[in-house]
Amino acid sequence: MGRVHAVNVTGPLLGIRHLMPLMRAGASIVNVGSSAALTARYPVACTTSKWALRGLSATAAMELGPLGIRVNTIHPGFIETEMTASAAPAFRAANLLGTPLGRTGTVDDITPLVTFLLSGTPRSSPAPRSRSTAASPRTAARSRSRTACARART
């Protein structure tokens, strides 16, 4: 479980942390999650790490947005890659049952989306679900919490 979290969560976190000082307004980060971040049908290590990446991306978007840096995460379903080539036939079949198009995806299916998100075209993105951008006591508390976390990291 530790290796999966190291790759899926710690890697993107360290990437964001080390590249952030080099990024300017208009820059973009795209994390590639998985439909595992939207369901609970996958092994626990994969599911929890992809939920964590989803949270990391949402938090990074809130912290970097005021600097003009966009952060997005895409959550594709089963994609044909070297890693998934060895998936058990039963696992493949189960994934296909939950796929509206009834086929696995390819890297070519998601490349245009990632390219679009990294381009300068998306000038803004919709607000995260059920979050208000208006200031509220809860927003202020989150801001104080983030500041406390930032101080604790240094």
Side-chain angles (χ1 to χ4, degrees):
M1 191 159 152
R3 184 174 174 348
V4 173
H5 277 260
V7 170
N8 292 341
V9 185
T10 306
L13 172 65
L14 293 175
I16 291 169
R17 184 189 305 166
H18 291 289
L19 291 174
M20 192 184 77
L22 304 174
M23 300 180 90
R24 301 289 176 251
S28 182
I29 296 167
V30 177
N31 288 314
V32 180
S34 163
S35 59
L38 308 172
T39 66
R41 298 182 313 178
Y42 299 93
V44 70
C46 179
T47 300
T48 58
S49 69
K50 294 301 183 172
W51 277 86
L53 179 62
R54 186 176 169 194
L56 167 65
S57 298
T59 302
M62 295 297 289
E63 291 183 2
L64 299 178
L67 302 175
I69 300 170
R70 296 180 318 277
V71 181
N72 291 281
T73 304
I74 63 168
H75 300 286
F78 194 93
I79 301 295
E80 294 290 348
T81 64
E82 288 180 28
M83 185 183 82
T84 61
S86 62
F91 183 77
R92 280 180 171 283
N95 274 283
L96 287 177
L97 285 175
T99 304
L101 294 178
R103 68 171 179 82
T104 57
T106 67
V107 172
D108 290 337
D109 290 329
I110 61 173
T111 300
L113 174 60
V114 174
T115 301
F116 171 76
L117 292 171
L118 288 173
S119 75
T121 303
R123 296 184 47 82
S124 65
S125 60
R129 276 186 257 153
S130 72
R131 285 198 186 153
S132 169
T133 56
S136 69
R138 192 170 162 189
T139 303
R142 277 198 307 258
S143 179
R144 286 191 300 275
S145 174
R146 277 197 297 270
T147 303
C149 288
R151 274 193 233 123
R153 281 184 287 202
T154 57

